Amino acid sequence: MDTLPAITPAPAANSPQSLVLEASHVYKSFGSNHVLMDFNFQLYKGENVVILGKSGSGKSVFIKCVIGLLQPDKGSIVVLEQDITSLRNEALDHLRAKVGFLFQSNALYDSMTVRENLEFPMRRHWLAGQQRNSESLVQEVLENVGLAHTINMMPAELSGGMRKRIALARTLILNPEIILYDEPTTGLDPITAREIGNLMLEMGRKYNTSAVIISHDMNCIKLVADRIVLLYDGKAYANGTYEELRRSQDNIVKQFFE
Amino acid sequence: MTLNKPWADFLDELGGIARFATRFFAQVFRPRYEGAELLRQCFLIGNLSLPLVGLTSFIMGLVLTMQLRPSMVEYGVESQIPAMVAIAVVREIGPVIIALIFAGKIGSSIGAELGSMKVTEQIDAMEVSGTNPFKYLVVTRVLATTLMLPVLVLIGDSIMLFGSFIGVNIYTVTSFPLYISQAMDSLTFQEFLPAILKTFFFGFAVGIIGCYKGFHTSRGTEGVGRAANSAVVVSSVWIFILDLLAVQITDLLGYN
């Protein structure tokens, strides 16, 4: 192995740094396919960390473990000071309200309007009626993503970029502390992809969130990443800023930046 | 000893459906109850099927009467047409035909809807939104199919008898009260009850198999089509198997 980039996290936006997500020695296999093997990961408050890796390398599996959709075989994942692998039912739902997940396919409910899509997580987490009127919250979050006029439209009537924005709005409506983005710009044209990247940054600042971003889109990564973790052979192979990894002489790291 | 693949697949699926049904019973009585979604599903499932059930039931009653009539006339028992049609409709034709139509209409719709939700990650999105997708999607739909099919069968049976009344009146003049009186005189509660009871099981089979197929969809949009198709095929076969079991049980209990 050639010289690896430094495994020191780049300074996050906020200081002093506080860990909001820490995965330690995580293992996950599907039959004989060992996806994560002793994977370690840290996310600090206010930070945007991109996980980069080949298709099928386990990036999505990891963030699904973070939100509790999958259980790791071994290891711990501490999210906002709670080990998600040991949480069940209400405790897990309570934590999930603080962690947003933007799905690769957007996962908007086809049978509901945009308004109902946005209200759904609020109703399910019993937040409707708390703090503020849900109607004004829906309106506000839609205005933030620039799509207030779509409130009564069905997802099928929206373009790919609009759906992504609505999916982001649905993620933001619970005011999460962490957002997990699963390939947020896949399938979008370069201009829309850039708009989504900028929106992610803008919303991150506005809602004061930290983010884990899975992406192959180097333009998006360059735009949003405070730090990049390269997932290779089930492990965190390299860790550094975009520029640090781009200048790396390691053959494996170089493949991703060529 | 190793089973050949079709048998192994069949047993694998049977085991999968049994586990899925067990999970349904484990969750159905546990809070949180999805009452609003259950009512919505009951309305959608009942409302969606009613026009088709009504039309096919009317035609079935009419055609059954018109085809029976020549034989009945030949044997000089034309006056027994209402009784014969009523027994056939209430005991067998109504429940089975309407359940098969229901499987085609609702089983495929559930399989395709849940299948597409699965492949587009909507089920996962529901879970991260603090919702138990099994409870919200499966329990409500299975309860709705179980409760709505008997209602549809009652409505369908009535429409079949009305169709039969029209069929009788094509050839002779019979008043509606007389026709209904002759039809009802031939039926006892002991005949009516098992026929309605079995429709709860038919409804359950359509719901659980539709949901199972949808929930276990894989391989993208191709899988969605496959889920919808196999939901109809498997639940139709199960309707006949349950019907066979029901007739054996009612026979053993002396209701035949």
Side-chain angles (χ1 to χ4, degrees), chain A residues 89, chain B residues 23-34 132 135 139:
Chain A
N89 304 328
Chain B
R23 196 173 160 198
F24 167 83
F25 286 112
Q27 300 218 4
V28 68
F29 298 112
R30 248 189 246 159
R32 153 188 195 181
Y33 303 111
E34 304 287 358
N132 177 343
K135 232 170 216 277
V139 170

Side-chain angles (χ1 to χ4, degrees), chain B residues 238-250:
Chain B
W238 271 101
I239 285 166
F240 285 110
I241 294 171
L242 288 169
D243 193 42
L244 180 67
L245 288 173
V247 84
Q248 299 296 325
I249 292 167
T250 48

